[in-house]
Amino acid sequence: MLLIRAIIRPEKVGIVLSELLSAGFPAVTKMDVYGRGKQKGVKVGEIFYDEIPKEMLLMVIEDADKEDVVKIIIKYSRTGESGNFGDGRIFVSPVEEAYTISTKKKGL
């Protein structure tokens, strides 16, 4: 199992969630997050924003689904033809175990 953490632009969340659902990946946790990437923030006029609003999507998936999920997130999170600074990041980490609390069942 793998944990996917995708930090993306808020305006892209709806289409990403819709496409993940259509592809058979309905289980997603969404959080409002704030931060900055390599660009170290954004200056608009005289105002500098170093905490930019983003959304973080969390998913636990089977190893075999990694490529499909990552491709969907990248395809629908990018802005423009070649993407732009601030489009986000995807982090993939191993998950040792998962349990459903209501049923006590181990696994996804």
Side-chain angles (χ1 to χ4, degrees):
M1 290 180 288
L2 298 170
L3 172 63
I4 303 289
R5 285 177 284 198
I7 301 171
I8 64 175
R9 294 176 182 268
E11 65 270 19
K12 297 292 187 174
V13 170
I15 187 67
V16 171
L17 291 176
S18 177
E19 293 299 326
L20 287 167
L21 179 62
S22 294
F25 303 104
V28 179
T29 299
K30 178 178 77 83
M31 292 186 239
D32 297 331
V33 295
Y34 299 87
R36 62 178 175 263
K38 292 180 184 179
Q39 75 273 13
K40 301 176 187 167
V42 175
K43 186 173 183 178
V44 179
E46 294 298 314
I47 301 172
F48 181 73
Y49 298 95
D50 67 341
E51 292 184 0
I52 301 165
K54 301 287 184 187
E55 296 282 345
M56 180 162 44
L57 305 180
L58 299 170
M59 305 174 66
V60 177
I61 60 168
E62 297 292 348
D63 292 27
D65 295 326
K66 179 180 78 169
E67 294 301 319
D68 292 337
V69 170
V70 168
K71 284 180 184 178
I72 290 168
I73 295 170
I74 289 173
K75 180 177 180 180
Y76 294 99
S77 294
R78 292 179 83 190
T79 56
E81 188 67 27
S82 59
N84 291 294
F85 286 117
D87 281 349
R89 301 282 293 196
I90 300 171
F91 302 96
V92 181
S93 306
V95 173
E96 291 184 27
E97 295 179 346
Y99 296 88
T100 300
I101 294 172
S102 61
T103 63
K104 302 179 188 176
K105 183 178 176 185
K106 184 177 180 177
L108 293 179

XYZ file of all heavy atoms in Angstrom:
840
model
N 0.841 -1.183 0.000
C 0.000 0.000 0.000
C 0.879 1.237 0.000
O 1.989 1.218 0.527
C -0.892 0.028 1.244
C -1.988 -1.012 1.274
S -2.992 -0.897 2.765
C -1.843 -1.511 3.983
N 0.338 2.304 -0.573
C 1.060 3.564 -0.669
C 0.182 4.718 -0.214
O -1.033 4.700 -0.424
C 1.491 3.824 -2.115
C 2.436 2.805 -2.730
C 2.582 3.062 -4.222
C 3.795 2.849 -2.048
N 0.802 5.726 0.389
C 0.129 6.965 0.732
C 0.516 8.006 -0.309
O 1.700 8.262 -0.524
C 0.550 7.447 2.117
C 0.074 8.847 2.530
C -1.452 8.897 2.613
C 0.711 9.258 3.845
N -0.484 8.577 -0.962
C -0.270 9.656 -1.917
C -0.667 10.950 -1.216
O -1.782 11.071 -0.703
C -1.146 9.488 -3.181
C -0.889 8.152 -3.855
C -0.970 10.667 -4.128
C 0.446 8.025 -4.540
N 0.252 11.911 -1.175
C -0.045 13.254 -0.674
C 0.161 14.205 -1.840
O 1.282 14.372 -2.309
C 0.886 13.628 0.476
C 0.534 12.929 1.759
C 1.511 13.259 2.828
N 2.734 12.493 2.555
C 3.684 12.257 3.428
N 3.599 12.757 4.626
N 4.727 11.548 3.115
N -0.913 14.793 -2.295
C -0.842 15.731 -3.414
C -1.229 17.111 -2.917
O -2.312 17.298 -2.359
C -1.775 15.294 -4.533
N -0.337 18.065 -3.097
C -0.599 19.451 -2.722
C -0.825 20.212 -4.019
O 0.086 20.308 -4.847
C 0.569 20.029 -1.905
C 0.780 19.185 -0.652
C 0.302 21.497 -1.567
C 2.030 19.508 0.117
N -2.055 20.703 -4.201
C -2.428 21.297 -5.481
C -3.162 22.626 -5.285
O -3.577 22.962 -4.175
C -3.295 20.333 -6.324
C -4.628 20.038 -5.651
C -2.531 19.034 -6.598
C -5.582 19.197 -6.490
N -3.344 23.345 -6.391
C -4.085 24.612 -6.366
C -5.544 24.347 -6.002
O -6.141 23.389 -6.505
C -4.034 25.270 -7.741
C -2.656 25.720 -8.167
C -2.732 26.279 -9.594
N -1.435 26.673 -10.081
C -0.922 27.896 -9.971
N -1.627 28.846 -9.389
N 0.273 28.166 -10.451
N -6.136 25.198 -5.165
C -7.537 24.991 -4.762
C -8.505 24.922 -5.936
O -9.459 24.151 -5.914
C -7.839 26.197 -3.869
C -6.509 26.647 -3.377
C -5.532 26.326 -4.469
N -8.271 25.700 -6.968
C -9.191 25.717 -8.112
C -9.134 24.443 -8.952
O -9.977 24.225 -9.813
C -8.954 26.953 -8.993
C -7.609 27.005 -9.675
C -6.514 27.706 -8.884
O -6.633 27.867 -7.645
O -5.510 28.081 -9.521
N -8.160 23.583 -8.703
C -8.021 22.331 -9.452
C -8.617 21.133 -8.719
O -8.738 20.046 -9.271
C -6.541 22.053 -9.754
C -5.889 23.098 -10.647
C -6.479 23.032 -12.027
C -5.736 23.929 -12.997
N -6.220 23.750 -14.361
N -8.989 21.306 -7.456
C -9.450 20.183 -6.633
C -10.680 19.498 -7.213
O -10.745 18.271 -7.285
C -9.712 20.640 -5.180
C -10.423 19.553 -4.388
C -8.405 20.998 -4.516
N -11.668 20.263 -7.633
C -12.912 19.682 -8.135
C -12.701 18.735 -9.292
O -13.198 17.601 -9.278
N -11.950 19.162 -10.296
C -11.716 18.311 -11.472
C -10.850 17.109 -11.109
O -11.088 16.001 -11.598
C -11.116 19.108 -12.661
C -11.053 18.260 -13.917
C -9.760 19.666 -12.342
C -12.378 17.879 -14.508
N -9.856 17.291 -10.240
C -9.009 16.162 -9.834
C -9.847 15.112 -9.110
O -9.771 13.918 -9.418
C -7.823 16.635 -8.971
C -7.080 15.443 -8.372
C -6.864 17.490 -9.789
N -10.673 15.545 -8.141
C -11.517 14.595 -7.405
C -12.502 13.891 -8.329
O -12.724 12.686 -8.208
C -12.262 15.309 -6.280
C -11.409 15.798 -5.116
C -12.270 16.572 -4.118
C -10.684 14.660 -4.441
N -13.075 14.623 -9.269
C -14.015 14.037 -10.219
C -13.343 12.978 -11.085
O -13.893 11.891 -11.299
C -14.603 15.141 -11.100
O -15.453 14.612 -12.063
N -12.158 13.274 -11.573
C -11.437 12.321 -12.424
C -10.963 11.101 -11.630
O -10.970 9.989 -12.152
C -10.263 13.015 -13.123
C -10.691 14.053 -14.135
C -11.527 13.481 -15.278
O -11.289 12.327 -15.697
O -12.427 14.205 -15.752
N -10.532 11.306 -10.393
C -10.149 10.159 -9.558
C -11.352 9.252 -9.315
O -11.235 8.024 -9.412
C -9.562 10.635 -8.230
C -8.156 11.238 -8.288
C -7.823 11.942 -6.978
C -7.112 10.178 -8.614
N -12.500 9.840 -9.016
C -13.721 9.062 -8.808
C -14.089 8.280 -10.065
O -14.378 7.081 -9.996
C -14.868 9.982 -8.396
C -16.223 9.325 -8.172
C -16.168 8.308 -7.051
C -17.274 10.392 -7.891
N -14.045 8.940 -11.216
C -14.371 8.283 -12.490
C -13.438 7.118 -12.796
O -13.835 6.146 -13.432
C -14.306 9.284 -13.642
O -15.308 10.253 -13.505
N -12.188 7.233 -12.338
C -11.199 6.183 -12.587
C -11.245 5.073 -11.538
O -10.449 4.130 -11.592
C -9.802 6.792 -12.642
N -12.160 5.184 -10.570
C -12.295 4.120 -9.578
C -11.537 4.355 -8.286
O -11.292 3.421 -7.531
N -11.183 5.616 -8.009
C -10.465 5.951 -6.777
C -11.289 6.960 -5.978
O -11.010 8.159 -5.972
C -9.074 6.521 -7.108
C -8.241 5.601 -7.935
C -8.052 5.838 -9.289
C -7.661 4.476 -7.374
C -7.289 4.984 -10.063
C -6.897 3.611 -8.137
C -6.711 3.859 -9.487
N -12.331 6.485 -5.278
C -13.239 7.398 -4.578
C -12.738 7.863 -3.201
O -13.179 8.891 -2.709
C -14.506 6.565 -4.412
C -13.993 5.161 -4.294
C -12.799 5.103 -5.218
N -11.837 7.117 -2.580
C -11.434 7.391 -1.200
C -10.327 8.438 -1.146
O -9.169 8.156 -1.459
C -10.975 6.098 -0.533
N -10.701 9.649 -0.749
C -9.753 10.764 -0.682
C -10.082 11.610 0.547
O -11.246 11.854 0.836
C -9.847 11.668 -1.937
C -8.876 12.833 -1.857
C -9.619 10.874 -3.204
N -9.051 12.060 1.240
C -9.210 13.035 2.311
C -8.646 14.351 1.799
O -7.564 14.378 1.210
C -8.451 12.590 3.582
O -8.999 11.349 4.021
C -8.567 13.622 4.686
N -9.376 15.447 2.021
C -8.968 16.757 1.524
C -8.791 17.707 2.690
O -9.614 17.749 3.601
C -10.025 17.294 0.566
C -9.742 18.669 0.009
C -10.814 19.109 -0.968
C -12.071 19.550 -0.304
N -12.107 20.909 0.178
N -7.691 18.495 2.662
C -7.410 19.470 3.716
C -6.970 20.791 3.104
O -6.269 20.796 2.097
C -6.246 19.002 4.588
C -6.482 17.829 5.433
S -5.012 17.628 6.460
C -4.544 16.021 5.961
N -7.361 21.882 3.753
C -6.815 23.185 3.408
C -5.431 23.279 4.032
O -5.264 22.998 5.222
C -7.675 24.314 3.968
C -9.072 24.337 3.390
O -9.251 23.902 2.240
O -9.988 24.805 4.085
N -4.438 23.667 3.237
C -3.081 23.849 3.746
C -2.529 25.166 3.211
O -3.057 25.732 2.251
C -2.148 22.674 3.357
C -2.589 21.381 4.019
C -2.063 22.500 1.857
N -1.472 25.644 3.832
C -0.820 26.879 3.418
C 0.673 26.656 3.439
O 1.199 25.983 4.324
C -1.172 28.024 4.381
C -2.643 28.302 4.416
C -3.486 27.601 5.268
C -3.196 29.240 3.574
C -4.841 27.830 5.290
C -4.562 29.492 3.579
C -5.373 28.785 4.439
O -6.719 29.010 4.440
N 1.370 27.213 2.463
C 2.813 27.070 2.445
C 3.411 27.710 1.212
O 2.766 28.492 0.516
N 4.647 27.364 0.962
C 5.352 27.883 -0.204
C 6.297 26.818 -0.709
O 6.733 25.942 0.044
C 6.104 29.162 0.142
C 7.169 28.945 1.195
C 7.923 30.231 1.488
N 8.859 30.030 2.566
C 8.615 30.331 3.835
N 7.460 30.849 4.176
N 9.519 30.103 4.752
N 6.613 26.902 -1.971
C 7.531 25.950 -2.584
C 8.862 26.603 -2.886
O 9.274 27.564 -2.232
N 9.507 26.099 -3.918
C 10.823 26.597 -4.304
C 10.819 28.073 -4.678
O 11.828 28.749 -4.575
C 11.365 25.784 -5.473
C 11.701 24.366 -5.114
C 12.230 23.634 -6.337
C 12.487 22.189 -6.022
N 12.974 21.455 -7.203
N 9.664 28.587 -5.128
C 9.595 29.986 -5.535
C 9.617 30.929 -4.328
O 9.703 32.132 -4.493
C 8.364 30.251 -6.408
C 7.057 30.299 -5.660
C 6.399 28.939 -5.473
O 6.994 27.887 -5.680
N 5.146 28.962 -5.064
N 9.533 30.396 -3.118
C 9.644 31.144 -1.863
C 8.550 32.189 -1.684
O 8.742 33.208 -1.056
C 11.019 31.809 -1.753
C 12.165 30.826 -1.811
C 13.484 31.538 -1.797
C 14.588 30.525 -2.023
N 15.854 31.163 -2.326
N 7.393 31.962 -2.247
C 6.291 32.896 -2.100
C 6.053 33.674 -3.387
O 6.681 33.430 -4.406
N 5.137 34.638 -3.296
C 4.755 35.423 -4.467
C 4.666 36.888 -4.072
O 4.107 37.223 -3.021
C 3.374 34.959 -4.999
C 2.910 35.836 -6.141
C 3.420 33.510 -5.420
N 5.192 37.776 -4.917
C 5.067 39.210 -4.686
C 4.068 39.764 -5.685
O 4.223 39.609 -6.898
C 6.411 39.913 -4.826
C 6.340 41.368 -4.452
C 7.698 42.007 -4.427
C 7.545 43.452 -3.974
N 8.828 44.127 -3.892
N 3.023 40.411 -5.166
C 2.006 41.044 -5.995
C 2.020 42.525 -5.635
O 1.600 42.903 -4.541
C 0.609 40.440 -5.766
C -0.422 41.145 -6.628
C 0.615 38.942 -6.031
N 2.534 43.344 -6.538
C 2.710 44.763 -6.224
C 3.711 44.907 -5.103
O 4.827 44.407 -5.184
N 3.310 45.559 -4.030
C 4.191 45.756 -2.878
C 3.991 44.700 -1.792
O 4.671 44.703 -0.780
C 3.949 47.148 -2.276
C 4.342 48.279 -3.206
C 5.830 48.264 -3.535
O 6.658 48.099 -2.615
O 6.158 48.386 -4.729
N 3.035 43.798 -2.019
C 2.705 42.798 -0.998
C 3.378 41.471 -1.319
O 3.314 40.987 -2.453
C 1.180 42.603 -0.891
C 0.506 43.944 -0.542
C 0.845 41.548 0.150
C -0.996 43.901 -0.610
N 4.020 40.880 -0.313
C 4.680 39.576 -0.461
C 3.866 38.524 0.282
O 3.577 38.675 1.468
C 6.102 39.631 0.103
C 6.835 38.337 -0.047
C 7.299 37.923 -1.283
C 7.047 37.511 1.039
C 7.956 36.714 -1.429
C 7.708 36.310 0.908
C 8.166 35.922 -0.330
N 3.481 37.471 -0.430
C 2.724 36.367 0.157
C 3.649 35.166 0.272
O 4.085 34.621 -0.735
C 1.530 35.998 -0.733
C 0.530 37.120 -0.907
C 0.592 37.962 -2.009
C -0.471 37.326 0.031
C -0.323 38.993 -2.175
C -1.390 38.343 -0.130
C -1.308 39.178 -1.231
O -2.217 40.187 -1.385
N 3.956 34.765 1.505
C 4.824 33.594 1.670
C 4.058 32.375 2.156
O 4.622 31.298 2.281
C 6.019 33.891 2.571
C 5.635 34.153 4.012
O 4.457 34.457 4.270
O 6.527 34.071 4.872
N 2.774 32.551 2.431
C 1.922 31.417 2.782
C 0.768 31.393 1.787
O -0.205 32.128 1.920
C 1.410 31.534 4.216
C 2.519 31.370 5.234
C 2.013 31.380 6.652
O 0.795 31.514 6.865
O 2.839 31.238 7.556
N 0.903 30.550 0.795
C -0.049 30.487 -0.310
C -1.045 29.367 -0.039
O -0.655 28.249 0.311
C 0.708 30.262 -1.637
C 1.681 31.420 -1.839
C -0.259 30.127 -2.800
C 2.725 31.164 -2.892
N -2.354 29.631 -0.204
C -3.342 28.579 0.047
C -3.282 27.481 -1.006
O -3.178 27.747 -2.197
C -4.690 29.313 -0.008
C -4.434 30.584 -0.719
C -2.981 30.901 -0.558
N -3.323 26.246 -0.537
C -3.345 25.056 -1.383
C -4.323 24.067 -0.757
O -4.840 24.274 0.333
C -1.957 24.392 -1.467
C -0.858 25.265 -2.024
C -0.997 25.450 -3.495
C 0.193 26.265 -4.004
N 0.056 26.623 -5.364
N -4.542 22.969 -1.442
C -5.324 21.858 -0.902
C -4.426 20.629 -0.908
O -3.639 20.429 -1.845
C -6.548 21.577 -1.772
C -7.543 22.704 -1.828
C -8.424 22.812 -0.604
O -8.486 21.851 0.192
O -9.050 23.866 -0.437
N -4.530 19.817 0.137
C -3.781 18.565 0.165
C -4.775 17.415 0.086
O -5.723 17.349 0.866
C -2.930 18.420 1.414
C -2.154 17.108 1.405
S -0.745 16.973 2.521
C -1.329 17.668 4.023
N -4.544 16.545 -0.890
C -5.337 15.335 -1.045
C -4.519 14.169 -0.515
O -3.347 14.008 -0.870
C -5.681 15.106 -2.518
C -6.380 16.255 -3.238
C -6.650 15.875 -4.689
C -7.659 16.650 -2.536
N -5.133 13.361 0.331
C -4.480 12.177 0.893
C -5.233 10.948 0.423
O -6.466 10.897 0.514
C -4.504 12.217 2.422
C -3.798 13.381 3.090
C -4.127 13.410 4.567
C -2.307 13.277 2.894
N -4.487 9.964 -0.064
C -5.085 8.715 -0.534
C -4.179 7.557 -0.159
O -2.965 7.660 -0.288
C -5.211 8.710 -2.067
C -5.957 9.859 -2.656
S -5.885 9.817 -4.471
C -6.816 8.332 -4.808
N -4.764 6.468 0.272
C -4.016 5.220 0.436
C -4.498 4.291 -0.661
O -5.701 4.046 -0.802
C -4.212 4.606 1.834
C -3.471 3.277 1.934
C -3.718 5.566 2.903
N -3.544 3.820 -1.461
C -3.867 3.011 -2.637
C -3.003 1.758 -2.671
O -1.999 1.660 -1.961
C -3.651 3.828 -3.934
C -2.195 4.275 -4.043
C -4.600 5.019 -3.984
C -1.799 4.841 -5.389
N -3.399 0.837 -3.514
C -2.569 -0.344 -3.752
C -1.359 0.065 -4.598
O -1.451 0.973 -5.430
C -3.372 -1.426 -4.484
C -4.553 -1.963 -3.698
C -4.161 -2.769 -2.472
O -2.972 -3.119 -2.312
O -5.061 -3.049 -1.664
N -0.235 -0.609 -4.399
C 0.993 -0.290 -5.139
C 0.768 -0.269 -6.651
O 1.294 0.596 -7.357
C 2.094 -1.307 -4.816
C 2.594 -1.212 -3.381
O 1.820 -0.774 -2.495
O 3.755 -1.565 -3.143
N -0.020 -1.196 -7.142
C -0.241 -1.331 -8.580
C -0.980 -0.131 -9.185
O -0.923 0.088 -10.391
C -1.019 -2.614 -8.878
N -1.667 0.653 -8.352
C -2.440 1.794 -8.847
C -1.650 3.099 -8.867
O -2.165 4.136 -9.308
C -3.694 1.980 -7.993
C -4.652 0.813 -8.110
O -4.735 0.226 -9.209
O -5.316 0.484 -7.110
N -0.417 3.076 -8.417
C 0.368 4.305 -8.275
C 0.460 5.099 -9.576
O 0.173 6.302 -9.596
C 1.775 4.005 -7.764
C 2.633 5.268 -7.633
C 4.018 4.970 -7.130
C 4.854 4.425 -8.242
N 6.280 4.343 -7.928
N 0.864 4.468 -10.653
C 1.049 5.196 -11.914
C -0.246 5.845 -12.387
O -0.246 6.999 -12.828
C 1.610 4.268 -12.996
C 3.015 3.767 -12.720
C 4.035 4.887 -12.561
O 3.986 5.874 -13.325
O 4.880 4.783 -11.638
N -1.364 5.124 -12.292
C -2.654 5.677 -12.722
C -3.038 6.896 -11.896
O -3.452 7.929 -12.447
C -3.753 4.621 -12.623
C -3.582 3.494 -13.621
O -2.904 3.707 -14.651
O -4.119 2.404 -13.368
N -2.922 6.799 -10.595
C -3.309 7.897 -9.708
C -2.418 9.109 -9.934
O -2.903 10.241 -10.067
C -3.295 7.443 -8.231
C -3.445 8.632 -7.286
C -4.390 6.418 -7.972
N -1.111 8.898 -9.998
C -0.185 10.013 -10.204
C -0.448 10.692 -11.548
O -0.475 11.929 -11.632
C 1.283 9.536 -10.074
C 2.255 10.602 -10.564
C 1.590 9.159 -8.629
N -0.679 9.917 -12.589
C -0.964 10.504 -13.911
C -2.231 11.354 -13.893
O -2.265 12.438 -14.485
C -1.089 9.407 -14.972
C 0.227 8.835 -15.408
C 0.031 7.758 -16.461
C 1.352 7.115 -16.822
N 1.206 6.030 -17.803
N -3.270 10.879 -13.227
C -4.522 11.635 -13.137
C -4.286 12.954 -12.402
O -4.712 14.023 -12.861
C -5.619 10.808 -12.435
C -6.071 9.658 -13.343
C -6.806 11.700 -12.043
C -6.932 8.628 -12.634
N -3.613 12.896 -11.265
C -3.381 14.116 -10.483
C -2.560 15.117 -11.285
O -2.902 16.305 -11.349
C -2.715 13.785 -9.134
C -3.660 12.954 -8.264
C -2.306 15.074 -8.413
C -3.024 12.367 -7.025
N -1.504 14.654 -11.930
C -0.672 15.569 -12.729
C -1.467 16.156 -13.889
O -1.450 17.370 -14.119
C 0.598 14.860 -13.230
C 1.559 14.604 -12.058
C 1.282 15.682 -14.320
C 2.761 13.764 -12.408
N -2.173 15.319 -14.610
C -2.906 15.788 -15.791
C -3.907 16.882 -15.444
O -4.016 17.888 -16.152
C -3.627 14.614 -16.458
C -4.417 15.018 -17.687
C -5.062 13.813 -18.356
C -5.847 14.237 -19.586
N -6.481 13.088 -20.249
N -4.642 16.723 -14.361
C -5.724 17.649 -14.047
C -5.326 18.745 -13.052
O -6.124 19.640 -12.780
C -6.952 16.880 -13.579
C -7.515 16.056 -14.700
C -7.229 14.694 -14.804
C -8.267 16.648 -15.707
C -7.713 13.943 -15.874
C -8.750 15.907 -16.774
C -8.475 14.553 -16.844
O -8.944 13.813 -17.904
N -4.097 18.714 -12.542
C -3.632 19.756 -11.627
C -2.786 20.818 -12.319
O -2.621 21.911 -11.785
C -2.791 19.149 -10.498
O -3.579 18.325 -9.692
N -2.252 20.502 -13.467
C -1.377 21.454 -14.170
C -2.167 22.616 -14.737
O -3.293 22.458 -15.180
C -0.649 20.757 -15.325
C 0.351 19.746 -14.842
C 1.016 19.073 -15.984
N 2.099 19.931 -16.443
C 2.767 19.740 -17.551
N 2.456 18.751 -18.346
N 3.746 20.550 -17.884
N -1.542 23.778 -14.728
C -2.131 24.941 -15.380
C -1.362 25.194 -16.666
O -0.135 25.136 -16.694
C -2.068 26.196 -14.485
O -0.719 26.438 -14.116
C -2.910 26.008 -13.242
N -2.094 25.431 -17.720
C -1.440 25.673 -19.002
C -0.882 24.400 -19.610
O -0.934 23.322 -19.024
N -0.346 24.539 -20.800
C 0.188 23.391 -21.548
C 1.410 22.760 -20.878
O 1.554 21.546 -20.838
C 0.541 23.834 -22.974
C 0.909 22.715 -23.904
C -0.251 21.772 -24.211
O -1.424 22.208 -24.153
O 0.022 20.595 -24.504
N 2.290 23.599 -20.342
C 3.534 23.070 -19.767
C 3.601 23.235 -18.253
O 4.636 22.992 -17.658
C 4.735 23.753 -20.418
O 4.677 25.157 -20.227
N 2.515 23.653 -17.625
C 2.512 23.825 -16.182
C 3.142 25.139 -15.769
O 3.785 25.821 -16.570
N 2.949 25.505 -14.504
C 3.474 26.755 -13.956
C 3.953 26.543 -12.533
O 3.537 25.595 -11.865
C 2.380 27.833 -13.956
C 2.023 28.287 -15.347
O 2.834 28.878 -16.032
N 0.807 27.989 -15.770
N 4.795 27.468 -12.044
C 5.191 27.445 -10.644
C 3.935 27.472 -9.791
O 2.974 28.174 -10.107
C 6.058 28.656 -10.290
C 7.444 28.583 -10.827
C 7.887 29.510 -11.743
C 8.308 27.583 -10.415
C 9.172 29.452 -12.237
C 9.602 27.513 -10.903
C 10.035 28.458 -11.825
N 3.926 26.704 -8.722
C 2.785 26.702 -7.820
C 1.720 25.680 -8.162
O 0.691 25.623 -7.494
N 1.943 24.865 -9.205
C 0.958 23.840 -9.545
C 0.906 22.740 -8.493
O -0.107 22.074 -8.352
C 1.258 23.219 -10.911
C 0.792 24.094 -12.061
O 0.052 25.070 -11.818
O 1.172 23.794 -13.209
N 1.979 22.560 -7.731
C 1.938 21.619 -6.623
C 2.986 20.541 -6.656
O 3.890 20.542 -7.501
N 2.845 19.604 -5.734
C 3.767 18.475 -5.583
C 2.976 17.234 -5.218
O 1.903 17.312 -4.622
C 4.775 18.742 -4.453
C 5.646 19.948 -4.602
C 6.767 19.739 -5.554
N 7.687 18.755 -4.984
C 8.915 18.564 -5.425
N 9.370 19.250 -6.421
N 9.675 17.661 -4.885
N 3.555 16.089 -5.559
C 2.990 14.795 -5.170
C 4.080 14.033 -4.427
O 5.208 13.923 -4.923
C 2.521 13.983 -6.391
C 1.437 14.744 -7.152
C 2.017 12.600 -5.957
C 1.073 14.116 -8.484
N 3.725 13.508 -3.273
C 4.646 12.701 -2.485
C 4.057 11.304 -2.340
O 2.860 11.164 -2.052
C 4.854 13.316 -1.100
C 5.371 14.726 -1.146
C 4.497 15.797 -1.064
C 6.727 14.977 -1.285
C 4.960 17.102 -1.111
C 7.203 16.279 -1.337
C 6.321 17.342 -1.255
N 4.879 10.288 -2.530
C 4.444 8.894 -2.423
C 5.260 8.233 -1.320
O 6.489 8.273 -1.347
C 4.647 8.141 -3.762
C 4.180 6.703 -3.642
C 3.934 8.862 -4.897
N 4.565 7.636 -0.354
C 5.221 6.990 0.783
C 4.612 5.614 1.011
O 3.418 5.413 0.774
C 5.013 7.805 2.063
O 5.407 9.132 1.893
N 5.417 4.667 1.517
C 4.867 3.349 1.839
C 3.969 3.401 3.075
O 4.171 4.210 3.973
C 6.113 2.496 2.108
C 7.192 3.462 2.440
C 6.853 4.755 1.759
N 2.967 2.532 3.094
C 2.077 2.366 4.248
C 2.232 0.924 4.709
O 2.023 -0.005 3.934
C 0.604 2.657 3.865
C -0.327 2.310 5.021
C 0.433 4.096 3.431
N 2.600 0.743 5.958
C 2.816 -0.603 6.474
C 1.519 -1.350 6.712
O 1.414 -2.531 6.396
C 3.635 -0.537 7.758
C 5.071 -0.110 7.529
C 5.872 -0.147 8.813
O 5.532 -0.938 9.725
O 6.840 0.605 8.894
N 0.542 -0.687 7.317
C -0.724 -1.337 7.626
C -1.845 -0.305 7.574
O -1.606 0.885 7.760
C -0.693 -1.948 9.036
C 0.296 -3.067 9.193
C 0.322 -3.622 10.606
O -0.219 -2.983 11.534
O 0.881 -4.702 10.793
N -3.063 -0.803 7.355
C -4.262 0.044 7.404
C -5.386 -0.781 8.016
O -5.474 -1.987 7.784
C -4.643 0.510 6.005
N -6.242 -0.115 8.777
C -7.352 -0.792 9.435
C -8.624 0.034 9.268
O -8.583 1.261 9.326
C -7.092 -0.962 10.929
C -5.910 -1.842 11.243
C -4.632 -1.303 11.324
C -6.080 -3.198 11.435
C -3.535 -2.113 11.594
C -4.981 -4.008 11.714
C -3.718 -3.466 11.782
O -2.638 -4.271 12.054
N -9.746 -0.635 9.090
C -11.040 0.023 9.126
C -11.540 -0.067 10.557
O -11.690 -1.165 11.102
C -12.032 -0.666 8.163
O -11.483 -0.588 6.842
C -13.393 0.017 8.196
N -11.776 1.081 11.162
C -12.124 1.110 12.579
C -13.441 0.388 12.857
O -13.543 -0.417 13.789
C -12.179 2.569 13.086
C -10.763 3.154 13.029
C -12.764 2.641 14.492
C -10.692 4.639 13.318
N -14.470 0.626 12.043
C -15.780 0.043 12.323
C -15.807 -1.477 12.253
O -16.473 -2.138 13.037
C -16.842 0.619 11.370
O -16.499 0.298 10.031
N -15.051 -2.041 11.305
C -15.072 -3.500 11.133
C -13.864 -4.195 11.733
O -13.820 -5.425 11.780
C -15.119 -3.854 9.638
O -13.908 -3.367 9.025
C -16.333 -3.272 8.971
N -12.874 -3.426 12.135
C -11.599 -3.939 12.640
C -10.810 -4.676 11.567
O -9.860 -5.379 11.850
C -11.801 -4.839 13.858
C -12.500 -4.197 15.019
C -12.660 -5.189 16.134
C -13.536 -4.628 17.238
N -13.773 -5.622 18.289
N -11.222 -4.534 10.304
C -10.597 -5.253 9.215
C -9.268 -4.604 8.813
O -9.178 -3.387 8.698
C -11.549 -5.273 8.011
C -11.034 -6.065 6.842
C -12.036 -6.080 5.709
C -11.445 -6.798 4.507
N -12.337 -6.724 3.344
N -8.263 -5.441 8.603
C -6.956 -4.983 8.180
C -6.928 -4.890 6.652
O -7.491 -5.739 5.967
C -5.882 -5.961 8.663
C -4.469 -5.533 8.349
C -3.459 -6.525 8.931
C -2.054 -6.093 8.611
N -1.065 -6.996 9.224
N -6.262 -3.871 6.106
C -6.129 -3.708 4.658
C -7.054 -2.640 4.139
O -7.776 -1.982 4.887
N -7.015 -2.476 2.822
C -7.895 -1.491 2.203
C -9.228 -2.140 1.976
O -10.231 -1.695 1.779
C -7.304 -0.990 0.879
C -6.026 -0.177 1.008
C -5.512 0.243 -0.358
C -6.269 1.060 1.851
